[in-house]
Amino acid sequence: PASCRARQAAAQLALEGWRVGVLAAAVRDELEAEGRFARCFDACVDDGAADEEGSALRYAARLFEREIDEDLQPALSTFVTIEAHALEAIRALSPLAAAFRSVCGEPALPQLQQLCANLSAGWCTQLEALLAESIGRAVELESWEPISGGRPAVLRSSSVVDLFTQLDQLCDVFISFASLQPLQPADLRAFTDVVERKVGSYVRIVAEGCVPLPASALEGDARRAASAVASDEAPATSAGRSRSSRAKGAAAGPPANKAALEAQPLEQLCLRLNNCAWAREQLGKLASKLVASLPDLTALARTRVGGGGVDTLMAGGASQCDAACDAIAKYVARKVVYYELGSAFLTQLYLPSPLDPASRLAPLLTRLNPTLAAIVRGVALAAWSKQALLAVLGTFSLALTAVLEAPNRRYAPAHRTVLLQDVQRLADFFMDGGLLDEQVVAGSVSPLRALVEASCAA
């Protein structure tokens, strides 16, 4: 049975750990004994350093190293990952390696370094599968509700907390392991690479979990948008009504996707963004913790990135977190503008005439106002809140551009004033209460002013 095999494997590990400990202690005792009388034989040793003090002891130590190799290999091959008996073997061999090093210099007891490399490689291989499974399970069980252990509720959800609780514990294990015996750069890198990959995998899953949006007639080149807008102004014949229905359907999305989109409200999208942003923050804390405990990682960070410090360790994972946050912010903007407001852009804005107060921009901005408030309230980091708001402004401006360029819309010099007023209203709307900086907003709406001037030219 599996339980029996597990007990047998554990017993074998315990036995081999004990054998390594006994062998290391015996050889260390022998080496100490050699040190008490070997000097008498220095003149008898021909090792290229005849008559040099300590040459006989070095000769004896090298013989010991060669002789114990055969005894160590079966035991060391039993240990394939970081576990208690393997760590005991390292603790037993480390003083022996130090004793060899004091006599022979480097390298000393290469079997110990090979054991550490094997344990690191085996453990990292196990972590790949372990973390992949735990990430999948955490996301599958995710409720997408804010953690409510305190007041106010924490603006992130359980899956990211579960992941970094596990990663923090794994870092503690690795620090304990690496503190026993200095590791090679490749062994250090193997662990940090696993952490980076799995954090990157998590934020990618979170970002890709946003329900795909249906194609919008406001996206793509201006001719496509204009064609869809034109279909809504077709004469009210049966053919015209059919074309109008198709255009409205494209703006609202296929029925099969509507339920999923409605089941993923803005609050959940903000939590997804928060999780990815918090993952970046926690990854930086893990890097600081590792470097503080394992100084060799500082040099590794500088070597890999080309400039130094803790922030450069696992910089690739941090970049993946930023990319996921950016993708979610842009998704929010597209969903709000193209999916939720798209039909109003296509069928109401500036129809039948820009001079009609009901067809102006104000009703759209009124509908947008609760969304902006929800973004400010729901996105934890101010920097990403502003990035999401800027994405909404940019996407809104693109949709407005599509309407202004639509061939079925006819603009005259008499429309110039009201259209420029609408552009200014849009700018004021996003600057109100300090939502976005004036300079940023001005840069976003400047092309719209130029387009109004061109569209209303005589």
Side-chain angles (χ1 to χ4, degrees):
S3 59
C4 182
R5 289 195 297 272
R7 286 194 297 270
Q8 289 175 342
Q12 182 66 26
L13 289 171
L15 175 61
E16 296 301 344
W18 173 81
R19 287 180 57 192
V20 170
V22 170
L23 178 63
V27 173
R28 192 168 66 252
D29 291 344
E30 286 291 332
L31 194 58
E32 290 176 359
E34 289 284 343
R36 289 195 289 269
F37 61 83
R39 188 177 301 175
C40 303
F41 300 94
D42 284 345
C44 304
V45 176
D46 183 12
D47 66 345
D51 298 326
E52 181 180 326
E53 184 176 350
S55 58
L57 183 58
R58 283 194 298 275
Y59 180 74
R62 292 191 187 99
L63 285 178
F64 279 135
E65 276 194 297
R66 288 195 293 269
E67 289 173 358
I68 66 172
D69 181 65
E70 185 176 344
D71 293 321
L72 279 177
Q73 288 306 324
L76 300 185
S77 63
T78 304
F79 303 117
V80 295
T81 188
I82 298 174
E83 49 82 36
H85 300 297
L87 296 180
E88 285 302 319
I90 294 175
R91 292 188 183 96
L93 291 172
S94 293
L96 180 59
F100 279 133
R101 194 176 299 112
S102 67
V103 175
C104 305
E106 297 286 358
L109 202 61
Q111 298 91 337
L112 175 57
Q113 197 63 59
Q114 187 58 51
L115 171 62
C116 291
N118 292 345
L119 295 181
S120 178
W123 193 59
C124 288
T125 299
Q126 287 183 332
L127 291 187
E128 290 277 359
L130 172 69
L131 289 170
E133 180 182 354
S134 62
I135 288 171
R137 185 169 58 251
V139 174
E140 181 181 354
L141 298 175
E142 179 64 85
S143 65
W144 294 113
E145 294 290 338
I147 297 172
S148 56
R151 291 291 183 267
V154 178
L155 293 177
R156 54 183 174 270
S157 65
S158 61
S159 60
V160 71
V161 176
D162 292 344
L163 171 61
F164 278 93
T165 298
Q166 186 176 22
L167 288 177
D168 187 63
Q169 294 169 350
L170 293 174
C171 282
D172 288 339
V173 173
F174 186 74
I175 288 169
S176 298
F177 165 63
S179 299
L180 295 176
Q181 179 70 20
L183 297 179
Q184 295 297 315
D187 302 324
L188 295 170
R189 183 180 299 118
F191 176 69
T192 59
D193 282 352
V194 169
V195 174
E196 267 193 302
R197 281 196 298 273
K198 293 311 167 186
V199 172
S201 173
Y202 171 78
V203 297
R204 191 163 52 250
I205 290 171
V206 169
E208 292 175 355
C210 298
V211 179
L213 292 169
S216 169
L218 293 166
E219 293 185 274
D221 59 60
R223 287 190 302 276
R224 179 182 169 210
S227 174
V229 175
S231 70
D232 286 311
E233 276 202 324
T237 61
S238 60
R241 284 191 296 271
S242 175
R243 288 194 298 271
S244 177
S245 176
R246 287 196 300 271
K248 292 179 181 178
N257 215 26
K258 186 173 182 179
L261 285 165
E262 298 299 329
Q264 192 176 67
L266 180 59
E267 289 76 13
Q268 182 191 130
L269 297 175
C270 290
L271 277 178
R272 287 176 179 269
L273 195 156
N274 291 342
N275 281 11
C276 295
W278 195 72
R280 189 196 199 285
E281 176 187 331
Q282 295 306 301
L283 193 61
K285 290 183 178 180
L286 288 183
S288 298
K289 177 178 181 176
L290 288 167
V291 169
S293 303
L294 305 172
D296 288 347
L297 278 170
T298 303
L300 176 61
R302 289 172 178 159
T303 300
R304 296 187 71 188
V305 182
V310 173
D311 290 341
T312 60
L313 185 64
M314 297 191 285
S319 296
Q320 292 181 71
C321 294
D322 287 341
C325 289
D326 186 63
I328 296 170
K330 290 176 178 175
Y331 174 90
V332 168
R334 291 180 61 247
K335 182 179 182 183
V336 168
V337 176
Y338 294 141
Y339 179 71
E340 296 177 1
L341 301 179
S343 179
F345 271 101
L346 292 170
T347 64
Q348 298 172 21
L349 188 60
Y350 302 142
L351 290 175
S353 166
L355 299 178
D356 181 359
S359 73
R360 298 278 297 279
L361 202 59
L364 278 174
L365 296 179
T366 299
R367 291 178 58 184
L368 186 60
N369 191 52
T371 298
L372 299 195
I375 291 173
V376 172
R377 187 173 58 249
V379 177
L381 291 181
W384 280 113
S385 176
K386 288 187 178 296
Q387 197 65 29
L389 294 173
L390 183 59
V392 173
L393 171 59
T395 307
F396 197 98
S397 298
L398 289 175
L400 183 54
T401 297
V403 172
L404 291 173
E405 292 181 338
N408 69 309
R409 302 294 210 272
R410 295 292 181 264
Y411 304 108
H415 301 146
R416 175 179 175 277
T417 300
V418 295
L419 292 177
L420 287 176
Q421 287 174 350
D422 273 3
V423 172
Q424 186 58 47
R425 186 189 297 270
L426 175 63
D428 293 341
F429 181 79
F430 276 90
M431 290 187 295
D432 185 31
L435 286 180
L436 291 174
D437 295 336
E438 181 178 356
Q439 186 176 0
V440 172
V441 174
S444 294
V445 303
S446 178
L448 291 173
R449 288 193 170 92
L451 182 57
V452 167
E453 297 286 358
S455 300
C456 296

